[in-house]
Amino acid sequence: MIKRNCLLTMADKQPALRVLRFLHKASAMLEESTDCDRWLLVSGESGSVSCDRHLLDALNNAALIKIQNGKANLSVAGRELLQEFKQPANLTHTNVKNSSFGLMVNHAESPLGLLYRKNKQTGQRFLSDEEFQAGERLRADFTRGNMMPRITANWEAVVTKRARGERGAQADLSDHALDCRDRVEKALRDVGPELSGVLLDICCFLKGLELVERERCWPVRSAKMMLKTGLSILHRHYTADSDSGKTEVPVYHWGAPDFRPSL
């Protein structure tokens, strides 16, 4: 990639570009992740993304980003590098069906996006359009519902002058965020406990397939099939949920078979 520093390999290309694009929008705080090998970059404007620790160190050593006092910023060299990728080939606009929003999808940003790309040998996709859109819809609701866990110090009580345990947190969320959380919980409940964890790990926490298999002690390449099965069920949930909203409710009344209302 990034011929400017040999510490970054070709395998780091897309993850590094994702971090640089994220920091291009705004600076981000570094927070501990549930995975000890990864950092969470948290921005009040752009949400959060996860990043390998070695990759973040490599970007810092290459002077593409600056890390000071637990805060990451994009450097001038990093901005110049992004200019070389103004029109990334795998950045497309996707309208999610049965939803009121459109989004820019970077196919290299998540394992789900990589699986959605066409196989060069067969010319076919492993995931169908419906399965991919269902995963992106879950991820969008998860992000907008502010459901990414925060495991750093809790400053809420200091800022809001509330004692721990009092109403706050969820009470302060907007109605839109609460609706997003409700949709995520309902979707995962319909998918079931056997597959909901895989959808969360890959679609929402952006964990790689190999990492999921290691954490769950699954056979090699099994996460791929479990993900596809979960996305298929998730798509069926969204389709049924959309159809149920259009069902007309019958009106009942008491009356004889030849009853006619008086005008």
Side-chain angles (χ1 to χ4, degrees):
M1 159 181 188
I2 303 187
K3 314 178 227 177
R4 310 178 183 223
N5 196 294
C6 60
L7 294 176
L8 296 174
T9 65
M10 289 301 296
D12 294 325
K13 178 178 179 180
Q14 296 300 342
L17 287 176
R18 177 168 65 93
V19 172
L20 295 180
R21 291 192 183 106
F22 181 80
L23 293 177
H24 184 264
K25 300 176 183 178
S27 58
M29 299 298 298
L30 270 64
E31 296 189 1
E32 296 286 344
S33 171
T34 52
D35 185 349
C36 60
D37 294 329
R38 302 181 71 84
W39 280 109
L40 282 179
L41 296 177
V42 181
S43 169
E45 300 177 10
S46 307
S48 61
V49 296
S50 62
C51 174
D52 287 336
R53 289 175 180 259
H54 85 275
L55 176 59
L56 208 62
D57 291 340
L59 291 174
N60 188 41
N61 294 334
L64 296 174
I65 65 173
K66 295 179 180 178
I67 299 179
Q68 284 184 327
N69 300 324
K71 190 173 185 179
N73 294 277
L74 187 64
S75 67
V76 175
R79 295 179 187 277
E80 292 176 351
L81 180 64
L82 285 179
Q83 295 300 317
E84 302 174 12
F85 297 90
K86 285 184 178 179
Q87 299 296 332
N90 53 1
L91 188 63
T92 58
H93 188 275
T94 298
N95 289 316
V96 178
K97 293 181 179 179
N98 301 323
S99 181
S100 59
F101 61 85
L103 66 158
M104 294 300 294
V105 176
N106 185 346
H107 290 180
E109 184 177 13
S110 70
L112 189 66
L114 292 174
L115 290 174
Y116 182 64
R117 296 172 62 181
K118 286 185 178 180
N119 187 299
K120 294 182 180 180
Q121 296 179 347
T122 63
Q124 297 179 345
R125 302 182 190 274
F126 177 73
L127 297 178
S128 66
D129 292 343
E130 292 78 11
E131 292 167 346
F132 174 72
Q133 290 170 352
E136 286 298 312
R137 183 171 177 180
L138 178 68
R139 177 184 170 191
D141 282 339
F142 186 89
T143 302
R144 294 175 182 178
N146 297 322
M147 299 181 71
M148 182 67 73
R150 186 181 295 265
I151 59 176
T152 54
N154 180 14
W155 299 101
E156 181 183 276
V158 177
V159 175
T160 61
K161 297 182 180 180
R162 283 194 299 264
R164 182 181 289 272
E166 293 183 357
R167 287 182 81 247
Q170 187 164 346
D172 291 337
L173 289 173
S174 66
D175 291 340
H176 176 67
L178 291 174
D179 288 341
C180 290
R181 290 190 173 197
D182 289 340
R183 287 195 294 269
V184 170
E185 292 174 359
K186 184 178 179 181
L188 296 179
R189 185 167 57 248
D190 285 359
V191 169
E194 298 83 5
L195 296 172
S196 58
V198 181
L199 295 180
L200 278 175
D201 281 346
I202 298 176
C203 299
C204 303
F205 293 107
L206 306 181
K207 291 184 178 180
L209 297 175
E210 296 82 2
L211 176 60
V212 172
E213 290 167 353
R214 288 199 304 270
E215 290 180 345
R216 297 172 180 269
C217 299
W218 284 355
V220 177
R221 296 186 180 88
S222 59
K224 195 175 181 180
M225 297 307 302
M226 297 291 283
L227 172 65
K228 185 174 178 64
T229 303
L231 289 174
S232 178
I233 300 175
L234 183 64
H235 166 64
R236 188 160 63 242
H237 158 76
Y238 284 136
T239 302
D241 190 53
S242 176
D243 292 341
S244 64
K246 301 177 182 178
T247 304
E248 294 184 0
V249 179
V251 178
Y252 298 95
H253 63 84
W254 293 99
D258 59 347
F259 170 80
R260 295 291 183 274
S262 58
L263 300 177

